Structures are given as structure tokens and as C-alpha cells.
Amino acid sequence: MASIQYREIDGRSGGFYVLLGALGVLVLAGLAAAWTMEHQGHHITGMSNRIVWGTPHVFAVFLIVAASGALNVASIASVFGRELYKPLARLSGLLAVTLLAGGLAVLVLDLGRPDRLIVAMTHYNFKSIFAWNIFLYTGFFAVVALYLWTMFERRMNGYTQRAGVLAFLWRLILTTGTGSIFGFLVAREPYDSALLAPLFIVMSFSFGLAIFVLVLMAACRWSGRPLGDALLARLGNLLGVFVAAVLYFVAVHHLTNLYLARQLELERFLLLDGGVYTVLFWIGQILVGSIVPLVLVYAVRGRAALAAAAACVIAGGLAQVYVIIIGGQAYPQQIFPGKDVSSTFFDGVIASYSPSLPEIALGVGGVGLALALTVLGLRVLPFLPRSLADGEAAAA
Amino acid sequence: MNPERRQLLGWGAAAAAALAPGFRLIELAQARSPQEAASVLQRWGLLIDITKCVDCDVCVTACHEENGVTGQGRPATDAQWIRKVNLRDKRTGYAQTLPLMCQHCEHPPCVDVCPTGASFKRDDGIVLVDKHTCIGCRYCVLACPYGARSFVHEAVSGQKADVPRGKGTVESCTLCVHRVDRAETPACVEACNRDGGKAMAFGDLNDASAEIHRRLRSEPSSQVRADLALNTGVRYQGL
Ligand code: SF4
């Protein structure tokens, strides 16, 4: 197994610089958006006092959730001992770090006072799941870095499995923490469920693997490295299982809610007459994000189908996070159950929200940052094997 | 102060109230000097009789005037520290109106979730935001069951010396803490009793001699979202 040979990507071609330049433009646009939001104030965004977390948070949460999921491929190799996935472990670790960095950058730049980041680092309220997440995120960087080191450094290879177990446990806790940010909001019906934490974990499996598959295919194609069909087929099967798992949790969540009389109105809103949220749920999350990928992976099969399935999972995932975060806030809080409510604060009505340009630019900037860091990582360190052709991967 | 100590002091206060009410009365009747820290012996609160609450908004105007909360004519993003909420029973059609603001919970969700501790509860029960440590994450806005918090969406002008505000931070009703510390009542209560329906009363829920305490003990009252067991400092009658 020591025969796997890794190498940096070349990085001398015109295409490499075009790619890096394009990602750089996205990052700059994101920074410009953040700067404008800070100087003008958040009123230039679509966010309001009813929708306090908007499109930036959709991207940030998506990236953070996907980050922990991207580490799965490495975990399968070192925790569950599947040799087939071993050549992919380094890339998996790299993506985990870069996606998290992209997500956190968005989260921080959207703060009302990003200049007070140092306050967030020095004042902790240990009752806050948010404060815990700060530790979980920084710890995740450290743990994955350690894990990568044991993979890169030949002398440390013996510790890879232990480091892998640590990283795996850490990422489970991390995603639980992310899900709990919402799950702990007891006063909001859409979030008041212990199911959110496990739901976020399966979502991370699926989103993370989808991004991993696309990055792997692109990296191998653009650096001219062979990538075996059998390996891809395995990844495709895995993706299908994860997508089905998300679907299962989503179904259980809604069915439980449908059973509770007090949640009926909420379900009506999400599933039936919630306008854009209902459309995003059925068309985005269920059709594009779940059913189409399942068909592509299990019925159509093949490289192009897998790539399309992964793209669909990402699109559907963004729709799902959008519905959870924004739809969850748009639905009015039940402050006075059994009463029709009205006020100057838009109590009792579905809050209106549409994403603004700065918000989208900031969110996409985070994606750009994650991908740019990935490209740079591949350029400077040997994350990618020279060949992932089937015979070699199987032998490895 | 840690919860055990607070609990202990709470019991101490209760014991003092039971054993020597006269003694405790004198102690509490005096206003605190500005140097003195807020005390757990007190629990400031409001009692709002909504059967007297009429179709006016003098409490809202007075609050925003007192605290320098000015809008930009953008209702979705302008700060609102207090608002009038109109209720209509879904089945019977019975209509009511009431003022809603920060309920100054004993167990405030906004304080629990705040990552930096900027959202905090004073010993005397008043829930506040430290404008110097709030990073503007808005998690507290999501956590508040009453929609009581606003995020400052743009630069503010015309600030009052007693009431710091700032773009990019979160704010809410302070129970007019600057007035309470001068032994005055909150602006909304004063205005309601002067120009409104005389529906609002302010006082120390712990003080056996206070009118608010007597009424809470002898008349029915309720908390909004009592199911959440937050033990609010703002109570309603006629809800
Ligand atoms: S917005 Fe400010 S007060 Fe509210 S939770 Fe965040 S840091 Fe705390």
C-alpha cells in the first residue's frame, strides 16, 4: 500500500491560472459585498428583523455541514479500513479544511461587527452552543491537520488510524453542534426538534461526498490523471445511500410533525402553501436533490450521470438549507397560540424575504474561497495520487 | 454570580421577607445610588392589565422617544423596542390589544445562546445587551420567543446620553434601566398612566410592600408563552 504515489498538480498551464483567477474574482466580489454591508448596514440586504439570518447563512451552513462530510472518504479508509478509499484520503482531508474555512469566512463577514472577532475569541459564554461551535471549528482544523500529517509523514503513518478515529468523532460532534444551533431554538416551531442534529449529520454525508466527487473528477481530468470507473461507481453507490438516508430523515421529521396537532399549520406552510419554500422543498430538495440523483446513480450510471447527480445533490442541498434557515424564520412565531395576530412588527404573517446581491456575492465568495484554497493546496502539496486507475487503486 | 449563590440569596431574601418584613421593607424602599451594584433582592417587572389597554400607542411613542429609537421609515428593518399587538381569537373572534416588549425572563433564552455573553441579565432581573461585546450575530434574535429584539440595520443618529446604540449590534427594551437606577419608572409606564389607558404598572416583584406584588398575589395574571417556563418579569392580566 505504500506504493501509492502522490504528486502536486502541475500548475503551469494557462487553465490553472484561469481557474485560480476566476475563483479569485469570486473571493474579491465576496469581500466587496461584505465591506458594503458593514458600511451601509444590513438594511441594504434582504434581511430584516424577522429574517435575521439570510442567504450568507445558507451558504455558510451548507459549507460547514459539507466540510465535515467531505472528511468521510478519509474516515472510510482509515476508520473502517476500506483500502479502496485510501488514495483519496488526503484530498478528503484537504476539502474538509477548505470548505470549513470558506463557510466560517462567510459567517464572520456577515456579523454586524466583524471587527469584533477578537471579542468572540476572548469572551465565552459556555452555555451557548454557538460558543461551543467556535471551539469545535478551530479544533476541527487542528485535528484534521494532525490527521493529514500522519498521512503525509511516512514515520507517522502508524498513527493514521488513531488520528482518523479522532477526526471522525470530532466531525460527528461538530455537525451535531451545527444542527443544534437550530435545534436549541425551542421557541421556534420549525426548529424545535431533536431530529435536527442527526438530520444534519446525514446531510453532511451527502453534501460533502457530492462536493468531493465533483472536485475529484475535475482535479483528475484537468491534471490528466487516470480515474477508474470502478472507484467512481463505488462513490456513486455511496452517494445514493447517503441521499436516501437524508430522504428518510426528512420524511420522519415531517411525519412526526404531521402527527402533532400543534405543528399542523407549520407543515401546511412547508408542504402545501408556503409559496417559494414549498416549491424549493418539492422541486429543489425532493425532486432535484433526491429523486433525480437516485435515478442517475442507480438507473442511468456512468461518469456523466455521477457528475450530474453530485451537482443535483449540491443544488438540492442548498435548497434544503434555504428552506430550513429562511423558511424556518419566515414562518411566524406562535407567541399567542389560538389567536390571529397583527402588529407593526409583522407578527402573525409570513415574513417576506428575497436574497440581495451582496448576500449572494458573499455566499458565493465563500464557495470561491473554499475552492481556491483547495486548488492552492493541490498545487503546493501532494494531495492527489498520480493515478487512480482501477487496477492501481485495487492493488493499493 | 453563579446560580447557587443567586439561589441562596433568593432564599435569603424570601426568609427575610417571611421573618422580618418590616426590616426588609425599609431596606428596599431606598433608591440605589449609581455606584451601588444591582441587587438580587430585587426583581423588576411590569404588570399590564390588557382589559384597560386601549387602541392607542402612547407607550410605544414614549419608549422610542425616551431611548432615542428613531426609524428610517423602513418598518422591516427599523428597531422596535415595544410594539402594540392586536389579537383576535380564532374561534370566538374576541379582539384584544396589548403592548409587547422584552419580557425580562428569569431564564432568558437570548442570554443562554449569546456566544460572547453580551446578552446578559442583571442581578435585579433586567435583561440587557452589552453594546461593547455584542458582535451582531443575531442568534439572540432567533432565540427570543417574543420577537422582542431588533438588529440595528443602519447608522443611528440622535442618540440619548443614557442609551448607547450602534449599527451592527442588537438591542431591545431595557426596562428603562437608566430611569430605574434613578428610582423612576419606565417611560412606557409613565406615559400609559398619564395619557393612555392606565394599564401598566411597574415595580419590584419581590417587594412585599409593592403594589405590583400585592396585585400579583391577589389577582389572576399570566405570562406569555408560560409553557416555556421562562418565568417572565412582565405579567399580563386579562389575557
Ligand atoms: S447579537 Fe449580540 S447580544 Fe445577540 S447573541 Fe449575538 S453577540 Fe449576543
Side-chain angles (χ1 to χ4, degrees):
Chain A
M1 61 181 85
S3 66
I4 314 168
Q5 292 193 18
Y6 295 89
R7 244 191 78 187
E8 299 88 348
I9 55 172
D10 221 6
R12 275 190 295 258
S13 67
F16 175 80
Y17 288 106
V18 170
L19 176 63
L20 212 51
L23 294 173
V25 168
L26 294 184
V27 173
L28 284 180
L31 286 173
W35 189 85
T36 318
M37 276 160 64
E38 293 323 319
H39 283 261
Q40 305 279 315
H42 277 63
H43 80 95
I44 60 162
T45 70
M47 291 181 266
S48 64
N49 280 323
R50 278 283 313 274
I51 309 283
V52 291
W53 284 359
T55 304
H57 302 81
V58 173
F59 278 94
V61 169
F62 179 84
L63 286 170
I64 291 169
V65 165
S68 60
L71 192 64
N72 265 357
V73 175
S75 304
I76 297 173
S78 38
V79 180
F80 302 103
R82 294 293 159 83
E83 291 294 328
L84 182 66
Y85 294 94
K86 201 159 169 207
L88 304 175
R90 292 183 180 186
L91 177 63
S92 161
L94 173 65
L95 267 177
V97 169
T98 57
L99 291 173
L100 184 63
L104 288 183
V106 175
L107 212 54
V108 166
L109 287 173
D110 173 79
L111 289 177
R113 297 294 305 260
D115 53 312
R116 288 185 177 165
L117 190 59
I118 192 74
V119 173
M121 298 297 195
T122 49
H123 292 65
Y124 285 109
N125 165 23
F126 287 100
K127 230 185 149 181
S128 167
I129 183 74
F130 227 45
W132 279 103
N133 275 319
I134 298 176
F135 284 108
L136 291 175
Y137 296 152
T138 37
F140 187 74
F141 282 125
V143 169
V144 176
L146 178 82
Y147 184 26
L148 282 171
W149 182 52
T150 67
M151 293 190 231
F152 275 92
E153 177 62 55
R154 198 171 284 259
R155 283 174 300 138
M156 300 298 293
N157 281 172
Y159 296 98
T160 300
Q161 195 196 355
R162 265 173 267 180
V165 172
L166 176 65
F168 180 67
L169 292 177
W170 198 281
R171 56 94 40 210
L172 286 184
I173 299 172
L174 180 130
T175 320
T176 307
T178 311
S180 302
I181 289 179
F182 299 97
F184 283 9
L185 295 171
V186 289
R188 286 186 182 262
E189 284 71 19
Y191 300 137
D192 183 13
S193 165
L195 265 180
L196 278 186
L199 173 64
F200 269 62
I201 289 183
V202 289
M203 280 159 65
S204 82
F205 286 2
S206 157
F207 306 167
L209 185 59
I211 296 179
F212 180 87
V213 164
L214 282 183
V215 169
L216 176 70
M217 290 174 98
C220 286
R221 167 179 280 235
W222 293 337
S223 63
R225 302 182 191 202
L227 178 56
D229 283 326
L231 181 65
L232 280 180
R234 283 284 194 97
L235 290 173
N237 275 339
L238 200 58
L239 185 63
V241 170
F242 291 160
V243 168
V246 174
L247 208 51
Y248 168 78
F249 269 91
V250 168
V252 172
H253 190 194
H254 284 292
L255 287 173
T256 327
N257 274 347
L258 284 169
Y259 199 76
L260 304 171
R262 68 182 164 84
Q263 296 282 46
L264 274 182
E265 256 179 82
L266 166 67
E267 286 302 313
R268 213 189 148 72
F269 167 71
L270 290 174
L271 304 180
L272 225 52
D273 54 17
V276 59
Y277 306 106
T278 305
V279 172
L280 280 174
F281 175 76
W282 288 112
I283 307 287
Q285 179 182 342
I286 301 300
L287 183 66
V288 175
S290 312
I291 296 175
V292 170
L294 284 175
V295 171
L296 285 171
V297 173
Y298 290 125
V300 182
R301 294 174 189 273
R303 250 166 221 257
L306 176 57
C312 284
V313 168
I314 293 172
L318 281 167
Q320 178 173 16
V321 177
Y322 192 96
V323 171
I324 291 177
I325 295 187
I326 298 182
Q329 295 172 84
Y331 183 74
Q333 276 187 298
Q334 307 299 302
I335 307 176
F336 300 97
K339 310 270 186 190
D340 283 328
V341 185
S342 67
S343 79
T344 53
F345 205 69
F346 306 97
D347 284 298
V349 299
I350 308 293
S352 65
Y353 170 82
S354 43
S356 63
L357 185 62
E359 289 172 88
I360 296 172
L362 177 56
V364 173
V367 177
L369 177 64
L371 293 178
L373 290 174
T374 312
V375 172
L376 287 173
L378 289 171
R379 172 73 189 86
V380 296
L381 285 174
F383 279 101
L384 206 61
R386 280 177 175 213
S387 168
L388 285 162
D390 280 338
E392 294 169 56
Chain B
M1 180 173 300
N2 66 38
E4 293 80 60
R5 186 159 148 71
R6 193 181 305 149
Q7 180 76 72
L8 210 62
L9 281 167
W11 286 335
L19 297 176
F23 169 73
R24 192 166 161 271
L25 272 182
I26 292 163
E27 183 183 66
L28 292 183
Q30 292 159 348
R32 280 189 316 111
S33 79
Q35 284 76 29
E36 228 174 304
S39 157
V40 282
L41 296 176
Q42 288 157 323
R43 171 93 199 271
W44 296 115
L46 298 174
L47 180 57
I48 303 170
D49 182 352
I50 67 174
T51 60
K52 292 190 189 150
C53 180
V54 289
D55 193 18
C56 80
D57 62 358
V58 296
C59 53
V60 178
T61 318
C63 165
H64 289 164
E65 167 66 28
E66 171 73 26
N67 294 296
V69 180
T70 48
Q72 316 281 341
R74 286 188 264 271
T77 49
D78 284 344
Q80 297 191 32
W81 287 22
I82 173 173
R83 63 190 189 271
K84 283 299 294 289
V85 178
N86 300 313
L87 306 179
R88 183 177 294 276
D89 193 283
K90 281 189 181 142
R91 269 152 212 90
T92 63
Y94 181 60
Q96 291 172 296
T97 176
L98 55 87
L100 188 67
M101 71 297 279
C102 170
Q103 303 284 296
H104 298 282
C105 312
E106 184 191 353
H107 308 291
C110 60
V111 171
D112 288 347
V113 301
C114 178
T116 66
S119 186
F120 72 105
K121 181 166 67 91
R122 253 175 41 149
D123 280 346
D124 56 8
I126 301 181
V127 175
L128 298 170
V129 178
D130 180 340
K131 310 303 288 183
H132 297 287
T133 46
C134 172
I135 55 173
C137 68
R138 287 104 80 198
Y139 196 18
C140 56
V141 185
L142 278 175
C144 175
Y146 307 103
R149 287 207 158 167
S150 292
F151 178 63
V152 184
H153 282 80
E154 45 199 312
V156 291
S157 55
Q159 293 190 51
K160 299 286 165 94
D162 283 332
V163 190
R165 304 182 64 213
K167 180 181 75 184
T169 60
V170 158
E171 56 186 25
S172 54
C173 158
T174 64
L175 213 59
C176 281
V177 66
H178 56 291
R179 293 169 61 107
V180 171
D181 283 347
R182 295 195 301 249
E184 296 168 25
T185 57
C188 56
V189 177
E190 192 180 84
C192 179
N193 286 302
R194 188 182 56 227
D195 305 320
K198 302 185 175 33
M200 301 176 84
F202 166 80
D204 179 358
L205 307 182
N206 284 348
D207 179 359
S209 73
E211 173 70 2
I212 195 169
H213 183 103
R214 186 195 60 73
R215 277 176 59 197
L216 282 171
R217 199 176 45 212
S218 55
E219 301 166 14
S221 66
S222 58
Q223 308 176 39
V224 180
R225 296 282 331 241
D227 57 318
L228 297 173
L230 304 173
N231 187 13
T232 57
V234 177
R235 304 295 176 95
Y236 290 86
Q237 291 188 306
L239 192 61

